[in-house]
Amino acid sequence: MNLLDGKQTSIAIKERIANEVRGYTAKGLRPPHLAAILVGDDGASQTYVANKEKSSHEVGFTSSVYRYSANTSEEELLKAISFLNEDDDIDGFIVQLPLPKQINEQRVINSISPEKDVDGFTPINIGRMVLGEDAFIPATPMGICSLLEHYNIETEGKHCVVLGRSNIVGTPVANLLSRNRKGANCTVTLCHSRTKNLAEITRQADILVVAIGKPEFVTAEMVKEGAVLVDVGIHRVPDETKKSGYRIIGDVKHSEVDAKCEWATPVPGGVGPLTIVSLLQNTLKSYRRRFGL
Ligand code: NAP
């Protein structure tokens, strides 16, 4: 099995971003600015936002985090978003999901300016993506495509099975990999909780993308010999041997599946780092647009 190493790939892409940013700041331009809104004190969300901040600094971006308490109202959050939409010093921002129960997530997403929606979650960006127009592509699906491209994985004419149809991962990645373009042109089957004979379908996959949100769900008998495996899942499980008290596992049982694969992402260190890098790439794209670069 060969590793689809998200960490190494992300370092290579971050170096390219940092170089470009250095060029702009050397000319006297301000650096790109990525902001995040974090509501509540969910541990995983705090970690994600901290990682985004760290990566922003690594490539020379300005980074800000706007923190709100778990009992923030939807109205307050919409006001904060409207402020960021108008702030000329911010090139892009994200609202870290999930949001507390009292807040309607879709209403919040819809209020983000499509021009600053570097997560690519607004209907306008999703519509543009589906039409093949210039768009901010959702970060995780974009990261999956970058990873496959980085390792020159042949996608053309391959059968790609996507497990999971969420708006942020499964549905957009299925769309992107089926498009008529380099690094795509797959024949895509999109599976979900109502799919019958799931293992029969996943066994046909040349490329299997798993975003099901169930720890170690995919086992060896569900995977074809020589497949390319992308595990998007992230789960914290208690582990007393770790200083943190937990370890991260994916949606795939790697201990038995990896040996069958030609290529596979590790968890952690696979898709996760590329998701953050895609966010940086989208922010840089917004910055270039705003400065006409
Ligand atoms: P999600 O919104 O929970 O969607 C899960 C999908 O899996 C749904 O489409 C669901 O089908 C399907 N599903 C659930 N149980 C199934 C079953 N038994 N058989 C077949 N399909 C089943 O998940 P998500 O937001 O896409 O996230 C998926 C995983 O990726 C999670 O572990 C998440 O933490 C991780 N993630 C990682 C990153 C990263 O950067 N690495 C980013 C985002 C998410 P229905 O539609 O029928 O309910």
Side-chain angles (χ1 to χ4, degrees):
M1 188 273 290
N2 302 294
L3 211 56
L4 289 168
D5 188 333
K7 210 166 170 198
Q8 284 308 320
T9 309
S10 74
I11 290 170
I13 300 175
K14 277 197 275 193
E15 270 169 17
R16 290 203 292 270
I17 298 174
N19 263 334
E20 189 175 331
V21 170
R22 268 194 294 274
Y24 296 140
T25 51
K27 285 186 198 150
L29 293 173
R30 69 156 173 82
H33 187 168
L34 170 64
I37 295 182
L38 178 59
V39 187
D41 38 29
D42 175 69
S45 292
Q46 305 226 23
T47 308
Y48 295 144
V49 169
N51 287 339
K52 285 165 191 171
E53 249 192 312
K54 183 169 164 270
S55 297
S56 293
H57 291 140
E58 281 168 3
V59 297
F61 284 13
T62 305
S63 156
S64 336
V65 181
Y66 296 83
R67 290 169 207 277
Y68 293 85
S69 70
N71 57 12
T72 299
S73 68
E74 187 176 307
E75 202 189 343
E76 267 177 279
L77 188 56
L78 292 175
K79 258 194 211 153
I81 290 171
S82 148
F83 171 78
L84 296 189
N85 282 340
E86 297 301 321
D87 188 341
D88 265 344
D89 285 335
I90 290 175
D91 302 297
F93 66 96
I94 61 134
V95 178
Q96 184 63 48
L97 303 177
L99 292 169
K101 284 190 300 294
Q102 73 276 15
I103 299 174
N104 179 312
E105 272 185 10
Q106 197 54 51
R107 219 175 286 145
V108 165
I109 289 169
N110 291 353
S111 74
I112 299 171
S113 160
E115 306 314 315
K116 291 194 178 181
D117 166 33
V118 286
D119 249 341
F121 289 168
T122 58
I124 297 275
N125 276 309
I126 291 177
R128 284 179 185 155
M129 178 192 75
V130 171
L131 292 171
E133 290 181 7
D134 189 29
F136 292 123
I137 306 293
T140 302
M142 178 172 163
I144 294 168
C145 294
S146 303
L147 194 55
L148 296 176
E149 270 169 40
H150 185 84
Y151 285 94
N152 291 315
I153 303 294
E154 181 60 77
T155 52
E156 183 136 342
K158 300 289 178 189
H159 186 193
C160 174
V161 175
V162 178
L163 197 40
R165 59 176 165 188
S166 73
N167 286 341
I168 62 166
V169 188
T171 295
V173 84
N175 176 266
L176 289 171
L177 288 173
S178 65
R179 299 279 299 287
N180 183 0
R181 63 166 183 90
K182 195 172 164 284
N185 277 319
C186 290
T187 303
V188 176
T189 304
L190 182 56
C191 300
H192 44 77
S193 66
R194 314 292 165 88
T195 299
K196 293 203 167 68
N197 305 323
L198 188 66
E200 249 172 57
I201 299 170
T202 56
R203 268 199 300 272
Q204 294 171 34
D206 302 312
I207 301 172
L208 179 60
V209 179
V210 188
I212 193 171
K214 298 217 177 319
E216 300 191 332
F217 181 90
V218 171
T219 50
E221 69 276 9
M222 297 173 76
V223 180
K224 175 165 90 173
E225 200 75 46
V228 175
L229 173 77
V230 177
D231 183 358
V232 186
I234 301 180
H235 308 276
R236 282 182 181 196
V237 292
D239 185 342
E240 283 171 7
T241 67
K242 302 277 177 198
K243 214 169 114 193
S244 59
Y246 66 86
R247 73 194 151 89
I248 305 286
I249 61 168
D251 285 351
V252 175
K253 198 163 187 182
H254 288 270
S255 55
E256 56 178 64
V257 173
D258 283 4
K260 290 185 89 174
C261 298
E262 188 183 351
W263 292 92
T265 55
V267 175
V271 176
L274 265 300
T275 295
I276 296 181
V277 159
S278 302
L279 204 57
L280 301 176
Q281 287 173 306
N282 277 343
T283 306
L284 189 55
K285 179 187 177 103
S286 169
Y287 174 86
R288 285 197 211 105
R289 271 187 192 165
R290 291 159 61 78
F291 284 88
L293 297 164

